[in-house]
Amino acid sequence: MKLTGKKLLILGATAGEISLVKRAQEYGVYVIVTDNHTDYILAPAKNVADEAWDVSWSDIDTLEKLSREKEIDGVLAGYSEFRVENMIKLCKRLNLPCYINDEQLEITRDKIKFKDCCRKYGVPVVKEYASIDEVDEYPVIVKPTDRAGSIGISIAYNFEELEKAYQYAYDLSIEKRVIIEKYIHDADKVDFYYLAENGNLTLLTSCDTVNAQNNDGARVVQTAWLYPERHQSSYDAKVRDSIEAMIRGMKIEYGCIFFSGFIDNNQNFVFFECGYRLEGAHQYYYTQKRGPVNFLDTFIFHALCGNTHDVPHISINENMKCVTVNVFAKEGTIAKIRGIEEIAKMPDCTLALLHGRVGEQCKADKAILDKICVFAFSSESVEQLKRDVDEAYNKLQIIDDQGNDMIYDKLDTNEILKWGGYGILK
């Protein structure tokens, strides 16, 4: 096999990296993971990799030295722009392939630069305000310009809340820059995922989002993603050409790039951010089942070969659907997690990933809730997807040390049927 015996260094060793490690190992790759955790409970990918380094993924000098000694063939990072930034630096020093460059990273990590690029190519964006004093309607959403994964995000419904939200975002911004945008609460959040192979673009998949209903919009909690997005024809007619022109204008050749935005009741789109990296929905086994590829392969092959010529492809099944469910925790100390192994064995399961651990202390007052696990099912039938999620919830237990259920929010699985029938999502 083309990759057998090659050595891949992955920057990061969280639960999120486990699938990447295992996928590379399936191709005979020798996989090394690195971060500064010496407690492998906090770095579970170290338990499945062929080798683990207790070196921070930002310690480029040490990583360069070790990589030369170990004759590393490729470097990868995902799920964090900060790790991607260090991947770029390390690949430059080692003269290894890297699917992304500094300019592309800046556009996809900086929300202001992203929106400037959108305007250049005619991609519609969410309304923003240059300062607190310019805000003329509420609610607004306030974010650091340079963070992802909901870090530093707040929703403000009046001026007092806006001041607090601004300071919170400012404190968590690396570059101390904040963006204030109109909070879109009367539209559905959507995402569109593109695959790039030698500059050729494929709309890999798309999704609708179901937000948690139990907090009255006080925080953004994405309970589930439903694939594909229901209004594909509107996307094709209204914004697809502009987005694909933007991707080509950014000179993106390999990897996956995703765009996040909203669609209103008139099927008009606006976008607020994108990412050029592996992302937290982990839908690669869905795209393997649906076609054309498991997109982990495109990252692995490019890192080790500099191209994706030998990535295995299959024909696309347009009828294949997917539901991905996020499970967040209420406040408390986790005493028991049960069921994720049983969920993984269900026939339609394409993802069962455990993030949390027994003994973990979860706080309800954090802006970002602790994600305990994520699971996904893929099927051509929405009725089957509903049954799958119901069964998964019946299997899953997350219990605190007082014997209480810790699951923050559960998807109303009737939403799957509404979505499949092109009904209105809540």
Side-chain angles (χ1 to χ4, degrees):
M1 187 176 292
K2 188 177 182 66
L3 302 185
T4 300
K6 287 185 178 289
K7 294 181 180 179
L8 177 67
L9 173 63
I10 296 175
L11 307 186
T14 69
E17 274 76 38
I18 291 175
S19 296
L20 181 59
V21 171
K22 290 183 175 180
R23 186 64 176 176
Q25 289 172 331
E26 290 178 21
Y27 286 107
V29 177
Y30 184 89
V31 182
I32 302 169
V33 297
T34 189
D35 70 13
N36 58 6
H37 290 299
T38 56
D39 181 353
Y40 287 13
I41 293 176
L42 302 175
K46 290 184 177 181
N47 294 314
V48 298
D50 298 292
E51 187 175 332
W53 298 346
D54 299 331
V55 178
S56 170
W57 39 258
S58 62
D59 186 351
I60 301 300
D61 290 337
T62 303
L63 292 178
E64 179 187 7
K65 180 175 180 294
L66 287 172
S67 295
R68 292 189 186 280
E69 290 175 358
K70 294 286 185 175
E71 298 182 322
I72 295 297
D73 296 296
V75 180
L76 266 181
Y79 314 109
S80 159
E81 274 78 10
F82 294 113
R83 275 178 273 176
V84 170
E85 177 184 358
N86 285 282
M87 175 187 68
I88 295 171
K89 292 177 182 177
L90 186 57
C91 286
K92 283 181 180 177
R93 292 200 189 183
L94 298 172
N95 194 30
L96 291 174
C98 190
Y99 73 89
I100 184 173
N101 61 38
D102 291 311
E103 182 180 0
Q104 292 164 343
L105 176 62
E106 280 306 299
I107 293 172
T108 58
R109 82 189 302 187
D110 186 306
K111 294 175 175 61
I112 292 175
K113 290 181 180 178
F114 164 72
K115 293 176 83 170
D116 288 342
C117 191
C118 284
R119 294 184 184 101
K120 177 180 177 181
Y121 290 96
V123 176
V125 295
V126 176
K127 178 183 178 181
E128 66 189 79
Y129 300 92
S131 69
I132 287 178
D133 296 330
E134 288 192 10
V135 175
D136 57 2
E137 62 177 332
Y138 292 92
V140 292
I141 189 165
V142 187
K143 322 171 194 176
T145 64
D146 51 3
R147 301 301 296 265
S150 300
I151 296 172
I153 293 179
S154 300
I155 301 166
Y157 290 86
N158 54 53
F159 186 75
E160 181 181 356
E161 291 182 0
L162 174 56
E163 288 184 311
K164 292 179 181 178
Y166 191 95
Q167 187 62 50
Y168 174 60
Y170 182 87
D171 290 342
L172 289 178
S173 171
I174 303 301
E175 297 182 353
K176 304 307 177 188
R177 298 169 66 211
V178 176
I179 187 169
I180 306 169
E181 294 177 324
K182 178 181 179 181
Y183 179 52
I184 309 294
H185 54 84
D186 54 354
D188 291 333
K189 186 200 174 253
V190 293
D191 298 280
F192 295 87
Y193 301 83
Y194 278 90
L195 171 71
E197 298 175 294
N198 195 28
N200 297 311
L201 299 180
T202 301
L203 181 57
L204 195 57
T205 186
S206 59
C207 70
D208 290 301
T209 302
V210 179
N211 289 322
Q213 296 296 307
N214 62 355
N215 61 41
D216 297 322
R219 64 175 90 198
V220 178
V221 180
Q222 299 181 59
T223 294
W225 296 298
L226 307 170
Y227 302 81
E229 204 279 317
R230 295 167 297 156
H231 302 294
Q232 184 67 52
S233 60
S234 295
Y235 175 81
D236 292 343
K238 296 184 176 182
V239 294
R240 182 167 183 165
D241 287 347
S242 297
I243 283 183
E244 293 183 3
M246 178 172 163
I247 296 171
R248 292 189 180 95
M250 293 167 64
K251 296 181 169 53
I252 286 176
E253 296 290 321
Y254 292 98
C256 293
I257 182 170
F258 58 91
F259 286 71
S260 297
F262 297 97
I263 180 172
D264 66 17
N265 292 331
N266 295 318
Q267 297 184 30
N268 292 316
F269 293 86
V270 289
F271 292 88
F272 61 89
E273 67 180 6
C274 74
Y276 187 22
R277 54 171 170 78
L278 291 169
E279 42 67 53
H282 297 275
Q283 79 272 30
Y284 31 80
Y285 289 119
Y286 161 56
T287 66
Q288 177 177 312
K289 191 172 182 178
R290 177 185 181 271
V293 297
N294 178 326
F295 59 80
L296 291 180
D297 294 351
T298 66
F299 287 90
I300 293 167
F301 274 79
H302 186 269
L304 294 171
C305 305
N307 61 65
T308 58
H309 300 331
D310 295 313
V311 170
H313 285 60
I314 65 168
S315 58
I316 295 175
N317 179 356
E318 298 286 1
N319 296 319
M320 188 60 63
K321 303 171 180 65
C322 178
V323 175
T324 300
V325 176
N326 293 310
V327 180
F328 297 95
K330 299 176 186 176
E331 185 163 4
T333 300
I334 299 175
K336 181 193 298 183
I337 302 175
R338 298 276 173 82
I340 196 72
E341 298 87 356
E342 288 76 15
I343 292 171
K345 296 174 183 175
M346 294 173 61
D348 295 329
C349 184
T350 45
L351 179 69
L353 183 60
L354 180 63
H355 289 278
R357 65 187 188 281
V358 171
E360 182 176 353
Q361 294 183 328
C362 304
K363 300 291 186 182
D365 58 353
K366 296 195 304 184
I368 305 170
L369 296 174
D370 294 290
K371 184 185 288 190
I372 307 305
C373 64
V374 55
F375 56 82
F377 299 100
S378 297
S379 172
E380 295 184 12
S381 164
V382 291
E383 292 84 1
Q384 182 59 47
L385 290 175
K386 179 188 186 305
R387 290 192 291 270
D388 286 333
V389 176
D390 285 334
E391 183 178 345
Y393 278 137
N394 287 333
K395 294 179 184 295
L396 185 65
Q397 285 186 304
I398 303 172
I399 307 297
D400 69 13
D401 55 3
Q402 304 299 312
N404 300 310
D405 178 15
M406 290 188 68
I407 298 177
Y408 175 80
D409 181 75
K410 289 185 177 180
L411 172 67
D412 177 356
T413 55
N414 288 316
E415 293 295 301
I416 300 172
L417 302 181
K418 292 180 183 178
W419 162 76
Y422 300 96
I424 302 299
L425 287 173
K426 294 180 182 177

